Amino acid sequence: VQLVESGGGSVQAGGSLRLSCAASGYIYNWFWMGWFRQDPGKEREGVAAIATDSGSTYYADSVKGRFTISRDNAKKTLYLQMNSLKNEDTAMYFCAASSQSYIGNWYRPTRYNSWGQGTQVTVS
């Protein structure tokens, strides 16, 4: 599956952005999708994940109550609604897909098989 992120940009603290991740190719054996973020020199951090069938979700503690992950299977698109953005949310954001039916440690990048190129989010 190919993944292409969009929706990043610059926003003031307290503002909102919605990221999108469009999937192409055969997607029906991808059980989980997630959003990760990474600052230069830091490890890639799991932000949120969603089961593509049941819609079950996981969130990092740092974004709970502010970010919402969702998916539209008909459009083959993953979303991340980000509200009440903080300076520390600044990072490159990546979407990822996993073919593992049991995601386990959803926040570990190694659980995911396919990655997008990323979209930059800057909060000032």
Side-chain angles (χ1 to χ4, degrees):
V1 66
Q2 292 77 45
L3 304 172
V4 179
E5 303 94 336
S6 62
S10 297
V11 64
Q12 290 188 335
S16 299
L17 282 174
R18 188 176 82 155
L19 305 184
S20 299
C21 173
S24 59
Y26 188 77
I27 67 167
Y28 298 102
N29 58 341
W30 299 96
F31 295 99
W32 288 85
M33 295 192 76
W35 286 100
F36 286 75
R37 63 188 181 187
Q38 188 171 23
D39 267 337
K42 295 185 179 180
E43 291 187 355
R44 194 163 292 191
E45 172 191 23
V47 174
I50 187 167
T52 55
D53 53 357
S54 69
S56 296
T57 57
Y58 292 106
Y59 293 93
D61 288 344
S62 59
V63 306
K64 279 181 182 176
R66 300 188 298 122
F67 290 11
T68 303
I69 189 171
S70 62
R71 87 273 186 249
D72 185 329
N73 289 344
K75 294 183 178 179
K76 296 194 288 186
T77 302
L78 178 72
Y79 302 100
L80 185 68
Q81 178 67 44
M82 305 186 295
N83 298 328
S84 303
L85 282 161
K86 303 177 181 180
N87 290 350
E88 51 264 44
D89 295 319
T90 294
M92 183 72 78
Y93 283 70
F94 300 87
C95 73
S98 174
S99 60
Q100 303 189 53
S101 58
Y102 174 67
I103 194 63
N105 296 329
W106 67 270
Y107 48 87
R108 295 194 185 279
T110 54
R111 305 296 290 177
Y112 297 80
N113 313 82
S114 184
W115 292 84
Q117 293 300 306
T119 185
Q120 177 68 37
V121 172
T122 303
V123 184
S124 59

